[in-house]
């Protein structure tokens, strides 16, 4: 695989597990290495039949025969650990990367190093790849994320691709015969480089980049096709598209790469601090910035443009008048002149009470902790760590209203205590209603407050009873979900300011909540690794499932078809389908234990989790002396498994059959595995043949010219006719020999034997299911005697009793009655079998019809 480089053998210290084929995922046997030898790299050199080359942490290499399980040769090695091995296009040549940054091009036949390179400035070698077109180039990756290109002909450095990745380069791969290099890194990125410059250097052609560290917050944007995701760890804000991965991108923070190269520093030093919280409104995305973010430890909130995918020019922070620039009062507390005068008077009084000693006490600069945008897209509201709240105009960046924190008494406010102006502690959540009437805010002080939107004047305060960690509003109904630190989600009506629902059940801190598109469900995720779905109408839990890692953020799509989630310790953004959107789902009491849901894994992870079954190793050994002269590429290793392809196919078929029997319920009807077109074709085969009949009768082929066979040579001559006279008479006879002809086909033979043998009966069913429509019609047409008709009717009746392959059996029964209807009507035994099948066909429909009528009556009564 060009990206993940899954090795043919899994590696552990002192042990190598060698499977037969990657698709088998079975451990066949172990190669026991000497004590103290740890495997660090492994490859299979081309043309080396059943051989693997192992690199060790002590710097030596070993060549093993995996068929005979013997050590063939130990190479001299080096004084540093072997970190990467890659075979060259030339035979017997491999590139060896070491932990000290050295690269050795080594000849396996002579055990000599051809030449060496050194990439000390960029760190240890992590991966290698050879270019296979007209120019000999070696690419090497480093632990610092840089890629180095080497000229093998001139034996010199071509270029260093600096900052190619943000983390260790895990894999490099040159496309065969092309100057295209693929690179993958632990920063969750895959990049394509093309070497088309005159000096041989590379430029970036395409890339797929995700979060290099686990994302913290994800929200759908405008529709089900776009979503925003942020990560405080990798300092990025990204856009993901559910339908086209190539459109995924990071919102630009300016020419960071160019500025970092000019200043000689890392790009991360110029990036904004990690995003703590963000909100977006798509209404005015074409007019001005429509995304607002707050960053870790930053006073100002930032605006972004989704239309241009870049950082905006507005800083949402309180102004600091020049007149009071030298005062000790914090700029975060100066919102208007009246507030400033109150703080100066209080500071003067405190100074006077202290006898004139000391300076006025200043509020510390408070960072932004949460943001929200109004539904109209004109305003943004920012909450801060000191409990203050501010409202800004997004277009101009000017502050329009604010509420200050309460006076600082030097003591932490108790949970539930009411502040005179703002919150008494950090603001953890903000929401604005649909028509800009009020702003709802939650805080660590345990209060939920409602402010007028125009002037941010306090309208109401509700004591929640626990620390509020976040809030989420469904604007269409005015419901507000408040997430608390006591593992409970409380739902408030924003217009009555009353609690209407209380959902408890999580065993750990709740990380995020989201409303469904219609406001009927509330989905919550928790550090207990469960995701629960609550029905707001009934106030009950309707579904829950468990994942391997805790969900850190959740968001329902605006159309309700998808649920997106992020998880702790995972850089992926996971998309879940809503079954209620695509089909009818009847809500019922959830199971007492959460349903375990596995998150999608990479190919390498799936291979590691495969079966670890022991297998049989093959017989025979190849000669180690002929190793370097072998022309094979390793296909001889097939004998390792000890099983033929036919045996594996039979086992797979038995496994599929057992699965069908396992999932088939005795009281239910199941259909066949055959496509619906096959069943329809069998029913209407006569009509199809009539439609496809040629309009003109087929004409006889023109007679071939009479040519006498000749024998080629220097003296060509006619070939003699060596055909025996008896064979000539037999060939010219008009009578057909009956030797080898049977009165019944193989299918009918299995049907007859199936009356006394279950295996033959199952074989007949499988043959019927695998037949083409024409073959099945021919089998029914070939039933010539009443005995054959009776046996076939008994076979169909027996098969229908199992209620399996129902569609295929009904199609065959239709053809059977249509072709042999006159004989069936005269034979009482066959007629009895047909009547029995008629009753078997009617009973399931009567049961289904009764259930439908019962449900319709129940629905009519409830409606």
């Amino acid at each position: 695989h060009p990206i993940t480089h899954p090795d043919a053998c899994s590696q552990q210290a002192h042990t190598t597990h060698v499977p037969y084929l990657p698709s088998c995922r079975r451990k066949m046997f172990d190669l026991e290495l000497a004590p103290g030898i740890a495997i660090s790299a492994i490859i299979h050199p081309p043309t080396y039949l059943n051989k693997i080359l192992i690199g060790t942490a002590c710097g030596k290499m070993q060549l093993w025969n995996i068929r005979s399980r013997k050590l063939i040769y130990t190479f001299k090695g080096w004084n540093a650990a072997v970190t990467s091995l890659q075979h060259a296009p030339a035979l017997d040549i491999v590139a060896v990367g070491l932990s000290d940054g050295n690269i050795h091009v080594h000849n396996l036949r002579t055990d000599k190093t051809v030449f060496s390179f050194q990439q000390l400035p960029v760190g240890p070698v992590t991966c290698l790849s050879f270019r296979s077109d007209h120019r000999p180039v070696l690419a090497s990756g480093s632990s610092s994320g840089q890629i180095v290109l080497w000229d093998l002909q001139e034996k010199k450095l071509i270029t260093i691709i600096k900052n190619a990745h943000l983390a260790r380069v895990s894999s490099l791969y040159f496309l065969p015969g092309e100057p295209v290099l693929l690179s993958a890194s632990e920063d969750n990125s895959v990049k394509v480089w093309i070497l088309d410059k005159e000096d041989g250097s590379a430029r970036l052609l395409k890339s797929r980049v995700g979060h290099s560290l686990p994302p913290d917050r994800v929200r759908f944007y405008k529709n089900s096709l776009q979503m925003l995701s942020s990560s405080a760890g990798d300092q990025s804000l990204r856009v993901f598209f559910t339908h086209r991965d190539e459109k995924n991108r990071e919102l630009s923070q300016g020419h960071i790469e160019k500025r970092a190269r000019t200043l000689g520093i890392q790009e991360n030093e110029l990036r904004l601090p990690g995003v703590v919280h963000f909100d977006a409104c798509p209404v005015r995305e074409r007019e001005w910035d429509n995304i607002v973010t707050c960053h870790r430890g930053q006073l100002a909130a930032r605006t972004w443009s989704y239309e241009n995918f870049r950082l905006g020019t507005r800083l949402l922070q309180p102004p600091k008048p020049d007149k009071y620039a030298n005062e000790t009062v914090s700029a975060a507390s100066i919102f208007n002149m009246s507030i400033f005068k109150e703080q100066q008077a209080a500071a003067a009084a405190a100074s006077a009470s202290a006898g004139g000693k000391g300076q006025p006490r200043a509020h510390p600069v408070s960072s932004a902790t949460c943001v929200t945008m109004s539904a109209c897209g004109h305003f943004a509201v920012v909450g801060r760590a000191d409990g203050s709240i501010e409202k800004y105009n997004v277009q101009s960046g000017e502050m329009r209203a604010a509420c200050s924190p309460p006076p600082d008494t030097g003591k932490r406010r108790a949970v539930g205590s009411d502040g005179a102006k703002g919150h008494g502690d950090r603001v953890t959540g903000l929401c604005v209603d649909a028509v800009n009437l009020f702003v709802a805010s939650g805080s660590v002080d345990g209060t939920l407050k409602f402010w007028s939107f125009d002037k941010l004047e306090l309208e109401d305060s509700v004591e929640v009873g626990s620390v509020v960690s976040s809030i989420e509003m469904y604007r269409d109904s005015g419901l507000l979900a408040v997430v608390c630190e006591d593992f409970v989600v409380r739902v408030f009506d924003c217009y009555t300011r009353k609690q209407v629902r209380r959902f408890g059940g999580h065993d750990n801190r709740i990380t995020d909540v989201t409303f469904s598109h219609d406001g009927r469900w509330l989905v919550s995720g928790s550090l207990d690794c469960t995701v629960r779905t609550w029905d707001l109408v009934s106030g009950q839990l309707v579904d829950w499932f468990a994942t391997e890692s805790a969900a850190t953020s959740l968001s329902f799509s605006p159309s309700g078809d998808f649920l997106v989630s992020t998880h702790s310790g995972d850089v992926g953004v996971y998309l879940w389908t809503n079954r209620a959107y695509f089909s009818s789902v009847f809500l019922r009491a959830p199971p007492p234990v959460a349903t375990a849901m596995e998150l999608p894994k990479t190919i390498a992870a799936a291979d590691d989790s495969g079966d670890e079954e022991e297998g049989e190793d093959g017989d025979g050994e190849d000669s180690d002396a002929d190793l370097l002269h072998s022309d094979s590429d390793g296909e001889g290793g097939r004998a390792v498994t000890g099983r033929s392809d036919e045996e594996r196919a039979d086992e797979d078929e038995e496994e599929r059959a057992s699965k069908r029997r396992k999932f088939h319920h005795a009281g239910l009807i199941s259909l066949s595995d055959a496509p619906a077109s096959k069943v329809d074709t069998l029913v209407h085969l006569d009509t199809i043949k009539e439609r496809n009949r040629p309009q003109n009768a087929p004409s006889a082929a023109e007679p071939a010219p009479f040519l006498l066979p000749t024998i080629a040579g220097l003296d060509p001559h006619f070939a003699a006719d060596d055909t025996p006279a008896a064979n000539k008479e037999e060939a010219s006879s008009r009578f057909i020999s009956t030797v080898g002809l049977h009165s019944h086909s193989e299918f009918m033979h299995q049907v007859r034997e199936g009356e006394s043998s279950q295996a033959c009966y199952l074989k007949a069913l499988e043959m019927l299911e695998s037949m083409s429509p024409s073959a099945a019609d021919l089998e029914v047409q070939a039933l010539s005697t009443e005995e054959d008709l009776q046996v076939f009717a008994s076979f169909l009746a027996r098969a229908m009793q199992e209620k399996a392959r129902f569609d295929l059996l009904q199609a065959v029964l239709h053809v059977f009655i249509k072709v042999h209807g006159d004989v069936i009507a005269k034979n009482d035994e066959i007629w009895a079998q047909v009547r029995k099948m008629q009753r078997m066909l009617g009973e399931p429909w009567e049961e289904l019809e009764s259930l439908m009528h019962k449900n319709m009556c129940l629905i009519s009564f409830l409606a």
Side-chain angles (χ1 to χ4, degrees):
H1 195 279
I3 305 302
T4 57
H5 261 317
D7 294 329
C9 306
S10 59
Q11 307 169 25
Q12 290 182 359
H14 319 309
T15 306
T16 301
H17 304 302
V18 183
Y20 163 61
L21 282 176
S23 58
C24 293
R25 298 178 184 175
R26 295 186 179 93
K27 184 182 71 174
M28 305 310 300
F29 53 83
D30 295 341
L31 294 180
E32 295 294 338
L33 278 68
I37 296 180
I39 302 173
S40 57
I42 185 170
I43 61 167
H44 164 60
T47 73
Y48 282 54
L49 180 64
N50 300 325
K51 308 301 184 297
I52 58 173
L53 181 65
I54 296 174
T56 64
C58 62
K60 294 185 178 181
M61 295 191 302
Q62 296 181 351
L63 191 65
W64 282 77
N65 186 322
I66 62 174
R67 198 169 186 182
S68 62
R69 310 180 198 177
K70 293 181 179 179
L71 175 63
I72 300 173
Y73 185 76
T74 300
F75 296 86
K76 298 177 182 178
W78 300 269
N79 295 325
V82 178
T83 56
S84 178
L85 292 172
Q86 180 63 37
H87 58 79
L91 297 180
D92 307 322
I93 303 298
V94 296
V96 183
L98 304 180
S99 60
D100 60 359
N102 289 319
I103 302 173
H104 302 283
V105 179
H106 199 75
N107 190 320
L108 297 179
R109 181 190 293 269
T110 61
D111 191 13
K112 293 182 179 180
T113 299
V114 183
F115 50 84
S116 302
F117 299 117
Q118 195 173 33
Q119 61 171 32
L120 287 180
V122 297
V125 181
T126 57
C127 52
L128 298 165
S129 181
F130 283 94
R131 182 173 171 178
S132 59
D133 60 348
H134 63 279
R135 184 170 183 179
V137 175
L138 173 64
S140 63
S142 67
S143 58
S144 60
Q146 303 183 38
I147 300 175
V148 186
L149 300 179
W150 307 90
D151 190 331
L152 299 177
Q153 190 167 1
E154 300 293 336
K155 301 178 183 178
K156 65 178 183 179
L157 174 68
I158 298 177
T159 185
I160 299 178
I161 308 177
K162 296 183 178 180
N163 299 323
H165 293 278
L166 300 177
R168 171 180 176 270
V169 181
S170 58
S171 178
L172 290 174
Y173 182 78
F174 270 108
L175 296 184
E178 297 183 21
V180 178
L181 175 66
L182 276 69
S183 65
S185 171
E186 294 178 354
D187 64 355
N188 194 25
S189 66
V190 177
K191 296 184 179 181
V192 181
W193 309 86
I194 182 169
L195 285 66
D196 58 352
K197 296 184 179 181
E198 294 182 359
D199 58 352
S201 58
R203 63 180 176 89
L204 183 63
L205 185 64
K206 296 180 180 179
S207 64
R208 295 286 186 274
V209 183
H211 285 290
S212 59
L213 293 175
D216 305 313
R217 180 175 172 86
V218 61
R219 288 294 183 268
F220 273 99
Y221 177 83
K222 187 163 59 176
N223 52 41
S224 299
L225 305 179
Q226 309 167 49
M227 52 187 169
L228 291 169
S229 176
S230 68
S231 173
D234 62 7
Q235 303 168 299
S236 65
L237 180 64
R238 295 186 176 273
V239 180
F240 291 92
F241 291 82
T242 59
H243 64 305
R244 298 185 65 181
D245 288 341
E246 61 270 18
K247 298 179 68 176
N248 298 348
R249 61 184 304 171
E250 178 185 356
L251 272 66
S252 173
Q253 299 185 21
H255 301 287
I256 296 179
E257 182 178 356
K258 182 178 179 181
R259 291 162 54 196
R261 187 166 56 251
T262 303
L263 298 174
I265 60 177
Q266 296 292 329
E267 292 185 20
N268 293 341
E269 299 180 23
L270 296 178
R271 286 178 173 270
L272 291 173
V275 177
V276 177
H277 199 272
F278 73 85
D279 196 18
C281 179
V283 176
R284 298 289 183 177
E285 67 176 11
R286 295 183 180 274
E287 283 78 12
W288 52 74
D289 298 345
N290 65 319
I291 303 173
V292 180
T293 60
C294 58
H295 301 262
R296 179 183 298 167
Q298 291 289 301
L299 172 67
R302 305 277 180 158
T303 61
W304 304 71
S305 172
Y306 186 88
E307 178 70 14
N308 301 319
F309 297 107
R310 62 167 178 80
L311 179 66
T313 58
R314 304 299 180 190
L315 293 178
L316 307 184
Q317 61 182 351
K320 185 175 183 180
D322 295 337
K323 180 179 179 181
Y324 306 101
N326 296 325
E327 298 292 339
T328 57
V329 182
S330 170
S333 303
I334 305 176
F335 303 120
N336 50 52
M337 192 56 61
S338 60
I339 296 177
F340 176 71
K341 290 180 178 179
E342 292 176 6
Q343 292 179 345
Q344 288 288 65
S351 177
S353 62
K357 300 179 180 180
Q359 296 297 325
R361 186 173 181 178
H363 288 277
V365 176
S366 181
S367 60
T369 56
C370 58
V371 293
T372 188
M373 292 194 68
S374 61
C376 62
H378 286 81
F379 300 96
V381 183
V382 181
R384 299 191 175 276
D386 62 357
S388 60
I389 301 174
E390 306 151 10
K391 185 183 74 173
Y392 294 88
N393 183 282
V394 179
Q395 185 178 9
S396 63
E398 298 293 333
M399 188 174 67
R400 300 305 184 192
C403 63
S404 66
D408 190 356
T409 61
K411 297 181 180 179
R412 182 179 179 85
R413 299 179 56 81
V415 173
S417 60
D418 189 13
K421 296 182 180 296
H423 284 284
D425 210 325
R426 179 168 57 92
V427 180
T428 56
L430 291 169
C431 290
V432 180
D433 71 312
V435 292
N436 293 349
L437 290 179
F438 60 85
V439 177
S441 63
S443 172
V444 177
D445 63 8
T447 59
L448 178 65
K449 295 190 176 184
F450 297 90
W451 315 82
S452 64
F453 183 81
D454 292 337
K455 299 182 180 180
L456 288 183
E457 296 178 348
L458 183 62
E459 294 182 348
D460 199 356
S461 179
V462 179
E463 294 186 5
V464 178
S466 178
V467 174
V468 177
S469 58
S470 65
I471 62 175
E472 190 76 18
M473 177 183 288
Y474 184 70
R475 285 174 172 166
D476 293 348
S477 62
L479 293 179
L480 184 69
V482 180
V483 179
C484 302
E485 292 293 337
D486 58 355
F487 314 153
V488 175
V489 180
R490 296 171 173 84
V491 181
F492 288 83
D493 188 338
C494 292
Y495 298 103
T496 63
R497 314 290 164 83
K498 301 294 184 182
Q499 179 177 320
V500 295
R501 290 290 184 270
R502 185 182 186 276
F503 299 121
H506 285 291
D507 299 328
N508 208 329
R509 186 173 68 86
I510 300 173
T511 55
D512 199 8
V513 294
T514 181
F515 286 92
S516 62
H517 66 295
D518 54 3
R520 293 180 58 88
W521 294 347
L522 181 68
V523 182
S524 61
S526 170
L527 292 182
D528 61 6
C529 298
T530 62
V531 177
R532 299 173 183 249
T533 303
W534 311 89
D535 184 62
L536 292 171
V537 178
S538 61
Q540 300 295 325
L541 177 68
V542 295
D543 188 25
W544 66 318
F545 62 89
T547 56
E548 299 174 1
S549 55
T552 56
S553 183
L554 299 167
S555 180
F556 242 115
S557 62
S559 57
D561 49 351
F562 295 117
L563 174 71
V564 66
S565 66
T566 60
H567 297 263
S568 61
D570 199 322
V571 297
V573 177
Y574 294 90
L575 205 63
W576 309 79
T577 55
N578 181 12
R579 288 193 303 158
Y581 181 86
F582 299 99
S583 61
S584 298
V585 176
F586 297 99
L587 300 181
R588 63 190 67 180
V593 179
T595 304
M597 303 291 289
E598 293 186 3
L599 298 176
K601 298 179 179 178
T602 60
I603 297 177
D607 290 341
D608 293 339
S609 61
D611 295 335
E612 295 292 335
E613 299 178 2
E614 295 288 345
E616 301 177 2
D617 50 308
D619 298 331
E621 300 179 2
D622 56 339
S623 174
D624 296 338
D626 299 332
L627 165 66
L628 300 180
H629 306 282
S630 174
D631 295 329
S632 171
D633 57 359
E635 293 297 326
R638 282 190 174 274
V640 177
T641 57
R643 294 187 304 159
S644 64
D645 294 339
E646 290 79 5
E647 292 176 349
R648 291 195 194 90
D650 294 341
E651 291 181 3
D652 294 341
E653 181 62 30
E654 292 177 2
E655 184 178 357
R656 287 194 294 268
S658 63
K659 287 183 178 180
R660 284 198 297 266
R661 290 191 296 269
K662 177 181 178 180
F663 291 108
H664 176 65
H665 193 275
L668 300 178
I669 293 174
S670 63
L671 304 181
S672 64
D673 295 337
S677 58
K678 176 180 177 179
V679 178
D680 295 340
T681 302
L682 179 60
V683 175
H684 304 94
L685 189 60
D686 293 342
T687 306
I688 296 174
K689 288 182 177 180
E690 184 67 24
R691 184 187 59 193
N692 296 338
R693 178 178 297 178
Q695 297 180 356
N696 300 326
S699 58
E702 297 182 2
F706 178 75
L707 297 176
L708 295 176
T710 59
I711 298 177
L714 296 177
D715 186 15
H717 58 278
F718 295 109
D721 189 3
D722 298 334
T723 307
N727 293 348
K728 290 183 179 179
E729 295 178 359
E730 182 178 356
S732 61
S733 175
R734 293 176 178 269
F735 294 97
I736 299 176
S737 175
T738 59
V739 178
L741 295 180
H742 302 281
S743 58
H744 298 100
S745 63
E746 177 63 22
F747 169 70
M748 281 303 300
H749 176 71
Q750 297 293 337
V751 170
R752 286 180 170 273
E753 294 295 331
E755 293 183 344
S756 57
S757 173
Q758 179 69 13
C760 294
Y761 164 72
L762 296 176
K763 182 69 176 299
L765 282 178
E766 293 178 359
M767 292 178 63
L768 180 62
E769 190 172 7
S770 62
M771 287 181 185
S772 64
S774 299
D777 182 78
L778 181 61
E779 289 289 349
V780 177
Q781 298 272 5
L783 300 175
S784 57
T785 64
E786 293 187 359
E787 182 182 0
D788 291 343
L789 296 177
Q790 184 175 351
V791 172
F792 190 74
S794 301
F795 168 75
L796 291 180
R798 179 181 177 183
M800 286 187 178
Q801 286 180 346
E802 299 179 358
K803 297 183 179 181
R805 304 177 177 89
F806 220 63
D807 53 343
L808 179 62
L809 295 176
Q810 287 201 54
V812 174
L813 179 60
H814 171 80
V815 177
F816 177 70
I817 295 176
K818 182 173 68 174
V819 174
H820 305 288
D822 52 346
V823 181
I824 294 173
K826 297 177 182 179
N827 191 303
D828 294 338
E829 295 182 0
I830 304 177
W831 177 252
Q833 293 287 350
V834 173
R835 293 286 295 175
K836 179 181 179 181
M837 286 185 281
Q838 182 184 15
R839 289 192 298 271
M840 285 189 290
L841 291 174
E843 289 175 358
W845 165 245
E846 292 175 358
E847 182 179 358
L848 180 61
E849 186 180 27
S850 175
L851 289 174
M852 290 177 60
H853 289 167
K854 181 179 179 180
N855 291 334
M856 290 175 62
C857 293
L858 181 60
I859 293 173
S860 300
F861 173 75
L862 295 176

